[in-house]
Amino acid sequence: MTSTKVRKAIFPAAGFGTRFLPATKSIPKEMLALVDKPIIQYGVEEALAAGCDQIVIVTGRGKSAIEDYFDISYELECTLEKRGKLDLLAVSRQVSQMVRLSYVRQKEALGLGHAVLMARDLVGDEPFAVILPDDVIDAPTPCLRQMVDAFDQTHSSILATQIIEGPAISSYGVLDGKADPSNPRLFNVSDLVEKPQPGDAPSNHAIIGRYILTPAIFDVLERTPLGAGGELQLTDGIRGLLATEKVCGFSFEGTRYDAGDKLGMLKATVDFALKRDDLGPQLRAYLKSLKL
Ligand code: G1P
C-alpha cells in the first residue's frame, strides 16, 4: 500500500432516487435539502472531519447539479457582492472552497460494488472511505472519524453497523460476527449477506453507509458475480475479501437517518432544525401548538 492513512472518500451518487419521485425527476436525490444544505454536503463535511482531503463522487446522467453545487458560482457571487450581501457571499464561497473533488461517471446502474470500482484509478493502492450520502449520521464525534480512529488501530476494513429490529433488516447488508475483545464497538465479521429474507438474516447487525476499505477490495470486486437485484453488490465483494483479510463491523455512536426515505428525511429535518439557534425555538413552539 502506498499509504496507510485514509485520505480519500468515495461518494456513490449515481442512483435514480426513485423513493423521492417526482422531485428526483430533475434534482439528484443527493441535492435534496436537509434544512438548508443538500444531503451530500453532510457526508462531505463528515469526510473532512475524519481527515479525508480528497473526495471522489461517482455520478451518472442527470447529476450535473452536484458538480455545479461544489463549483464557484460566478453570477450568484458577483450579484451578492454588488448588493453588499457579504454574509451570503461567504456561505456560497465556503461550499466551493471546501475540498478537492473529482468526479467519475458510472455509465450504467450496475450496483454499489460497481460504483466503487469506478473510482479504482482515482483511489489507487491505499485504504479509502465510502460514504453513502443517503445515510446522514448525527454524532458528537463524526461517524467516519470514529471509524478512522478504529482503523488506525486495526488496519483492517471496517463497516459501520446498527441494530435493525424486525423485517426491515431485509433492506440492508447484514453481518455475522463476534465481539472483538479489544474494543466493545468492534466485531470480527465472519460472514455477510446483502438483503436477506427476514428469516435468513444471520443477525440484526445491519450495515450502514460508512465503510473503510483496503484497496484489496478492488481485485475482489472485479471477480465478484452479480448478486441481489442483479447488481454487483459491495457486500458480496467484502464477503470475498474475508477469504484473505480480517473485516470488522463497527457499532458507531450517533443517530442515523435514512434521508433517502421520505419519513427518514422528515425526521432528520425536524431534529436538525430543532438543534439550530435560528430555527429551533420557533419550530419547537409550532410543533407544540399542533393538535396531534
Ligand atoms: C446499501 C448497501 C447495503 C447497506 C445500505 C445502507 O443498500 O447495499 O448493504 O445496508 O446501503 O444504507 P441500498 O440502501 O443502496 O439498497
Side-chain angles (χ1 to χ4, degrees):
M1 277 195 275
T2 50
S3 163
T4 54
K5 206 173 163 307
V6 181
R7 304 184 299 174
K8 301 179 182 176
I10 302 179
F11 284 70
F16 292 124
T18 48
R19 290 187 291 172
F20 261 107
L21 280 171
T24 44
K25 271 184 79 181
S26 62
I27 302 169
K29 68 170 171 173
E30 297 78 14
M31 290 303 297
L32 294 173
L34 172 48
V35 187
D36 54 6
K37 283 192 294 197
I39 59 172
I40 193 168
Q41 189 171 337
Y42 292 86
V44 169
E45 288 173 358
E46 186 180 323
L48 295 178
C52 296
D53 58 5
Q54 292 175 53
I55 304 291
V56 178
I57 303 187
V58 184
T59 65
R61 289 179 66 77
K63 297 283 182 162
S64 52
I66 301 176
E67 291 170 55
D68 290 342
Y69 179 73
F70 287 107
D71 200 355
I72 294 171
S73 178
Y74 285 106
E75 299 86 343
L76 172 68
E77 290 175 16
C78 281
T79 309
L80 291 173
E81 201 163 13
K82 271 191 210 143
R83 292 186 185 164
K85 306 221 167 187
L86 300 184
D87 47 345
L88 292 178
L89 179 64
V91 169
S92 174
R93 283 207 174 135
Q94 191 255 337
V95 174
S96 53
Q97 291 168 350
M98 202 158 33
V99 66
R100 225 164 82 198
L101 289 144
S102 315
Y103 297 90
V104 60
R105 279 291 261 241
Q106 185 184 15
K107 293 183 189 160
E108 293 172 276
L110 293 179
L112 184 56
H114 181 255
V116 169
L117 256 186
M118 295 297 100
R120 179 174 194 164
D121 290 345
L122 290 169
V123 170
D125 190 26
E126 57 183 274
F128 61 97
V130 177
I131 292 193
L132 306 189
D134 280 4
D135 282 331
V136 174
I137 300 176
D138 185 31
T141 302
C143 179
L144 192 63
R145 172 85 259 166
Q146 299 174 40
M147 294 171 69
V148 166
D149 290 344
F151 178 81
D152 286 342
Q153 291 174 356
T154 63
H155 295 286
S156 46
S157 295
I158 299 188
L159 326 174
T161 69
Q162 190 185 354
I163 302 276
I164 298 284
E165 305 287 1
I169 194 77
S170 299
S171 304
Y172 294 86
V174 182
L175 54 87
D176 198 4
K178 282 207 172 63
D180 185 315
S182 72
N183 181 335
R185 294 201 171 273
L186 281 180
F187 301 85
N188 292 319
V189 174
S190 55
D191 201 5
L192 307 104
V193 49
E194 178 68 12
K195 299 192 173 63
Q197 294 299 314
D200 297 341
S203 76
N204 53 10
H205 291 287
I207 302 171
I208 301 303
R210 301 288 182 277
Y211 308 75
I212 294 177
L213 298 169
T214 62
I217 190 69
F218 292 123
D219 276 346
V220 180
L221 280 171
E222 297 273 10
R223 48 173 201 266
T224 301
L226 301 183
E231 296 184 340
L232 176 51
Q233 296 293 347
L234 183 58
T235 302
D236 294 343
I238 299 169
R239 188 167 194 260
L241 194 61
L242 272 178
T244 50
E245 290 189 6
K246 182 174 156 177
V247 174
C248 294
F250 182 79
S251 155
F252 58 92
E253 183 193 5
T255 307
R256 170 254 184 179
Y257 300 88
D258 181 1
D261 167 74
K262 282 177 259 228
L263 186 58
M265 181 64 135
L266 285 168
K267 289 179 182 171
T269 303
V270 171
D271 286 355
F272 278 60
L274 281 174
K275 284 192 175 185
R276 296 240 314 221
D277 293 342
D278 59 340
L279 293 167
Q282 290 174 68
L283 179 61
R284 182 166 284 104
Y286 170 69
L287 292 174
K288 278 187 173 164
S289 77
L290 293 176
K291 299 197 171 35
L292 299 174

